Amino acid sequence: MTSSATGLPNIYSVELSPPDISAYAEGNTGVPYVWTFDSGSSGPHVAITAIVHGNEPCGAIAIDWLMQMGLRPRQGKLSFAFVNTAAYEAFDPEVPDATRWVEEDFNRLWGDGVLDDPDRRVTPEVERARELRPWLSSVDLLLDIHSMQHKTDALIIAGPAAKGRRLGRAIGWPGIVVTDKGHAEGQRMRDFGDFADPASDRNAALVECGQHWEAEAAEVAKDCAVGFLRATAAVPADFAEDRMATRPPRPETVCYEVMGPVTIETDSFRFAQDWRGLEHLPKGTLIGYDGDRAIHAPHDPTVLIMPSRRLWPGKTAVRLARPVDA
């Protein structure tokens, strides 16, 4: 197995216990670990996905919670999918960064033609993406649950179109909504097909629930799932009200627009400071170096979105954003 943890010391404790998802392996759609429930009434196909990255258990915890309550849609269809199960099943709390993927990042495979390229190396991630694609193509509204490398306020990644920001606002939890165009390395699942098309009613949100293994990330994942299911009318407006009454109130929405990612070009990228995310920097502030090239904050303020610890050529080191009206 290729480890995504190479050179990364473990700086955070593992507070979450990934649930056993083997009971969900058969699915009910013909695709392993994918479950779809049909209300018999017209309405959108709403879906929640988790463990696109195998070392991010909060989404598995949230879907397990929803499945155990026997949730069914009040209209349309409702799906739950556990995605990169091979990486998830290899998770080791002693080396928690080592199973983000098996051989490559599942969340960079969704650009046009990537999965159909006959010359492309067939990895476990490619095989699973090809298996999931017909089902994913039927989804109208998607919530993809993730978590982050650093302990940073949770946020929704709303994709490149204004419709993504509207969905993020409607979900409500967490209150930070970031519009962006993704990564140079490859296209995310949340940007697949019509999800990123401004002219389409299909829409998707990716939520980053906090640090990968902090206990609160699982609670944020549940909060966001509740907000998403309510916003899409897949469930009644008071769904899970008893739970939400015990949680912090719905926050005020704050929006940021990513003006561009910093894509690493050399083997010697380093940050000028130990950035953790959501820092608001004055224009001109030194952010870091890519080889000999200095990278400065391009506008005032420049908001740092999810600085990475995986500082390898081709990867996104950080995304540079600015505040925008909600």
Side-chain angles (χ1 to χ4, degrees):
M1 175 180 294
T2 300
S3 171
S4 63
T6 304
L8 297 183
N10 184 22
I11 61 174
Y12 294 107
S13 60
V14 178
E15 301 171 359
L16 293 176
S17 296
D20 179 359
I21 62 171
S22 60
Y24 305 120
E26 185 175 359
N28 69 347
T29 62
V31 181
Y33 289 100
V34 177
W35 294 78
T36 298
F37 305 101
D38 192 336
S39 70
S41 301
S42 62
H45 183 181
V46 173
I48 300 178
T49 51
I51 57 172
V52 160
H53 296 128
N55 66 337
E56 301 180 2
C58 63
I61 292 170
I63 289 182
D64 181 49
W65 173 67
L66 293 168
M67 288 285 285
Q68 288 198 38
M69 69 174 66
L71 185 64
R72 299 295 183 267
R74 61 188 294 268
Q75 63 174 18
K77 295 180 181 179
L78 175 60
S79 287
F80 302 113
F82 301 93
V83 176
N84 196 345
T85 54
Y88 179 81
E89 289 164 358
F91 180 79
D92 181 352
E94 296 299 317
V95 195
D97 253 318
T99 54
R100 181 172 173 81
W101 52 70
V102 179
E103 293 187 22
E104 64 177 317
D105 194 332
F106 184 94
N107 217 25
R108 302 292 184 268
L109 300 176
W110 296 94
D112 290 344
V114 172
L115 295 177
D116 296 317
D117 183 352
D119 298 322
R120 199 182 197 287
R121 184 169 61 98
V122 179
T123 64
E125 280 76 17
V126 168
E127 290 181 329
R128 180 61 169 160
R130 288 173 174 170
E131 184 176 50
L132 286 169
R133 180 170 52 176
W135 166 80
L136 185 65
S137 297
S138 74
V139 172
D140 297 304
L141 299 167
L142 173 70
L143 175 66
D144 188 23
I145 301 178
H146 289 254
S147 53
M148 297 182 278
Q149 296 176 58
H150 287 301
K151 285 195 174 183
T152 304
D153 289 346
L155 51 86
I156 288 175
I157 300 292
K163 67 178 184 179
R165 188 180 299 152
R166 291 194 294 270
L167 177 59
R169 287 200 305 265
I171 292 169
W173 292 274
I176 299 172
V177 178
V178 177
T179 306
D180 79 332
K181 296 181 180 178
H183 305 274
E185 184 187 4
Q187 189 164 287
R188 303 166 300 203
M189 191 172 73
R190 69 121 287 126
D191 301 315
F192 170 64
D194 288 344
F195 292 144
D197 181 355
S200 173
D201 290 335
R202 297 180 70 217
N203 209 347
L206 185 161
V207 60
E208 302 279 4
C209 296
Q211 204 282 327
H212 293 320
W213 314 300
E214 63 177 318
E216 179 64 9
E219 302 310 311
V220 172
K222 293 176 185 177
D223 292 347
C224 190
V226 169
F228 173 73
L229 293 171
R230 288 177 175 183
T232 58
V235 298
D238 61 352
F239 169 67
E241 189 60 34
D242 289 349
R243 170 196 158 73
M244 300 309 289
T246 69
R247 296 288 294 156
R250 177 177 173 139
E252 181 179 352
T253 300
V254 178
C255 292
Y256 300 100
E257 180 181 13
V258 172
M259 306 309 293
V262 176
T263 302
I264 300 171
E265 297 177 356
T266 75
D267 289 318
S268 57
F269 187 98
R270 65 269 190 207
F271 285 115
Q273 296 186 40
D274 184 19
W275 309 118
R276 297 300 175 99
L278 296 177
E279 292 89 351
H280 285 54
L281 306 181
K283 182 178 180 179
T285 301
L286 179 64
I287 295 171
Y289 294 91
D290 194 355
D292 295 330
R293 179 172 67 94
I295 298 164
H296 295 91
H299 38 76
D300 191 13
T302 295
V303 183
L304 303 187
I305 304 296
M306 296 175 63
S308 179
R309 298 175 65 213
R310 301 182 184 91
L311 302 179
W312 311 327
K315 295 288 185 183
T316 298
V318 64
R319 286 165 272 193
L320 308 180
R322 63 181 178 90
V324 293
D325 292 338

